């Protein structure tokens, strides 16, 4: 019988996880759950040292931990990204790593369009105007259907964003680093997308190739009436360049859910004093429905691995 250790809470009832062990693994696993994250490498190692299968969400794992887990056969990442995991170490050791790709496609897309509409229709300002006895003066907004919506990264989440942008009646442009076939959008080069889009939404993974992918040069190519949305990964956008573009009003606004570090952010974050900026605390993936989907994917990955047909494999 395999030992499965879930290193951090997965935001679903424990009963559901035990049910998934029964349904997907035939009850043939010893499941150990923790209701809080480990506070040190040593604590993480102690929790997982005897486990063949380890489940982690978005808590960072150090190389020290990765090299210390002597029995591990599978690391099941309950998250879409895996840049917080020392993947190369596990690859070197022959340990399979899989992620939970797909669980948050709808959740992230929902927040993207919530952000877009909040900025385009001045929803925060409208609320304050009513509370302060004001009117709609100065608060006339824009309709999405009149705009060009640019999507950088046409993976699963990017494609869901494209689908919804089409439903709103937008002209949709997309840029992807590899060739994709996605209906109802026009694939263009990055410069064209930046120059022609009224909304630019980023949906790239975080890796060495995408760090600083959107910097001062890219922001300078955007319309001064355009808004930037980042619900992907913080390091993709040069935060200082973005802050400067907002203060200089070379772009009209931004909404950001991801940062260089996880919230809480330092008090001197450069986006805190920028105009027309909406910030959320890395919450795009976080819905009740997404967490249930994630649990099913994670334990489906474990079942497939034990059956010799692993799915969603990173390495």
């Amino acid at each position: 019988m395999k030992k499965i250790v879930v290193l951090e809470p997965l935001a679903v009832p424990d009963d559901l996880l035990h049910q998934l062990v029964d349904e997907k693994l035939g009850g043939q696993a010893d499941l150990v759950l923790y209701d809080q994250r480990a506070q040190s490498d040593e604590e993480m190692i102690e929790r997982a040292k005897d486990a063949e299968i380890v489940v982690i969400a978005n808590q960072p794992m150090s190389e020290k931990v990765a090299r210390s887990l002597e029995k591990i056969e599978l690391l099941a990442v309950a998250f879409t990204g895996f840049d917080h995991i020392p993947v190369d170490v596990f690859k070197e050791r022959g340990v399979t790593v899989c992620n939970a790709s797909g669980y948050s496609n709808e959740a992230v897309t929902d927040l993207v369009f919530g952000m877009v509409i909040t900025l385009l229709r001045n929803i925060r300002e409208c609320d304050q105007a009513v509370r302060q006895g004001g009117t709609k003066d100065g608060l006339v907004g824009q309709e999405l259907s009149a705009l060009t919506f640019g999507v950088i990264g046409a993976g699963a989440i990017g494609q869901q964003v494209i689908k919804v942008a089409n439903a709103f009646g937008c002209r949709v442009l997309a840029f992807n680093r590899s060739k994709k076939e996605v209906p109802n959008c026009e694939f263009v080069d990055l410069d064209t997308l930046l120059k022609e889009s009224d909304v630019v939404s980023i949906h790239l993974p975080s890796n060495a190739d995408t760090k600083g992918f959107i910097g001062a040069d890219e922001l300078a190519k955007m319309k001064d009436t355009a808004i930037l949305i980042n619900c992907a990964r913080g390091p993709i956008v040069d935060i200082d360049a973005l802050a400067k573009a907002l203060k200089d009003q070379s772009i009209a606004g931004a909404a950001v859910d991801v940062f260089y570090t996880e919230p809480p952010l330092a008090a001197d974050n450069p986006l805190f004093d920028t105009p027309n900026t909406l910030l959320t605390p890395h919450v795009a993936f976080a819905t009740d429905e997404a967490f249930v989907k994630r649990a099913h994917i994670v334990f489906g990955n474990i079942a497939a691995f034990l059956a010799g047909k692993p799915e969603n494999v990173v390495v």
Side-chain angles (χ1 to χ4, degrees), residues 171 173-176 186-194 196:
R171 174 193 177 211
L173 302 179
F175 166 80
N176 202 69
E186 179 186 354
F187 279 87
V188 295
D189 60 62
L190 183 61
D191 282 1
T192 299
L193 185 146
L194 293 170
E196 297 189 11

Side-chain angles (χ1 to χ4, degrees), residues 91-112:
K91 182 177 182 179
E92 172 191 320
R93 297 185 56 200
V95 175
T96 299
V97 178
C98 60
N99 68 351
S101 179
Y103 82 93
S104 63
N105 295 355
E106 291 79 10
V108 174
T109 301
D110 283 358
L111 186 65
V112 166

Side-chain angles (χ1 to χ4, degrees), residues 13-312:
D14 290 355
D15 288 350
L16 174 60
L17 302 181
H18 285 287
Q19 177 186 333
L20 291 172
V21 169
D22 290 339
E23 291 179 356
K24 296 182 182 293
L25 307 180
Q28 298 302 303
D30 178 17
L31 181 64
V32 179
L33 305 174
Y34 289 93
D35 60 7
Q36 292 184 337
R37 286 182 165 187
Q39 298 302 303
S40 67
D41 282 355
E42 289 71 25
E43 185 179 1
M44 190 179 285
I45 292 167
E46 180 63 26
R47 289 181 178 187
K49 65 182 181 181
D50 295 325
E52 290 87 6
I53 299 170
V54 175
V55 179
I56 193 169
N58 66 337
Q59 181 176 15
M61 177 183 282
S62 70
E63 182 174 332
K64 176 183 176 180
V65 174
R67 293 193 182 280
S68 298
L69 304 182
E70 296 181 358
K71 294 187 177 182
I72 189 170
E73 300 171 6
L74 170 68
L75 179 68
V77 180
F79 209 58
T80 302
F82 45 88
D83 46 295
H84 58 299
I85 302 297
V87 172
D88 289 345
V89 174
F90 287 112
K91 182 177 182 179
E92 172 191 320
R93 297 185 56 200
V95 175
T96 299
V97 178
C98 60
N99 68 351
S101 179
Y103 82 93
S104 63
N105 295 355
E106 291 79 10
V108 174
T109 301
D110 283 358
L111 186 65
V112 166
F113 284 92
M115 287 173 154
V116 170
I117 292 171
T118 295
L119 291 174
L120 293 180
R121 298 304 304 270
N122 306 301
I123 290 175
R124 294 170 300 168
E125 296 81 0
C126 286
D127 175 83
Q128 288 302 307
V130 172
R131 295 176 189 276
Q132 296 168 8
T135 69
K136 71 179 186 304
D137 290 350
L139 297 173
V140 175
Q142 295 175 278
E143 295 178 13
L144 258 175
S145 62
L147 304 181
T148 296
F149 200 110
V151 178
I152 299 178
I157 294 175
Q159 289 182 38
Q160 182 69 14
V161 170
I162 290 167
K163 177 181 176 182
V164 175
N166 273 293
F168 273 104
C170 300
R171 174 193 177 211
V172 183
L173 302 179
F175 166 80
N176 202 69
R177 292 173 298 162
S178 59
K179 187 176 180 180
K180 290 276 187 177
E181 297 291 338
V182 181
N184 302 315
C185 72
E186 179 186 354
F187 279 87
V188 295
D189 60 62
L190 183 61
D191 282 1
T192 299
L193 185 146
L194 293 170
K195 291 174 182 177
E196 297 189 11
S197 296
D198 301 292
V199 179
V200 175
S201 190
I202 300 168
H203 300 286
L204 295 171
S206 180
N207 54 44
D209 293 334
T210 62
K211 184 176 181 181
F213 194 81
I214 301 297
D217 290 345
E218 289 72 30
L219 292 165
K221 293 170 184 173
M222 292 175 61
K223 298 179 182 180
D224 60 9
T225 55
I227 61 175
L228 180 74
I229 312 294
N230 187 11
C231 287
R233 290 291 183 270
I236 295 169
V237 178
D238 181 329
I239 196 171
D240 293 311
L242 176 58
K244 186 176 188 304
L246 289 162
K247 289 177 181 178
D248 293 346
Q249 298 185 336
S250 62
I251 66 171
V256 179
D257 184 54
V258 286
F259 308 91
Y260 290 174
T261 61
E262 288 295 306
L265 303 178
D268 62 352
N269 188 285
L271 294 179
F272 282 177
D273 61 350
T274 53
N276 204 27
T277 306
L278 177 64
L279 307 177
T280 54
H282 197 183
V283 74
F285 66 95
T287 66
D288 291 337
E289 294 82 0
F291 289 147
V292 170
K293 292 176 195 173
R294 177 174 72 173
H296 279 269
I297 292 171
V298 167
F299 281 86
N301 287 342
I302 294 171
F305 172 78
L306 293 177
K309 300 178 181 178
E311 299 175 354
N312 297 315

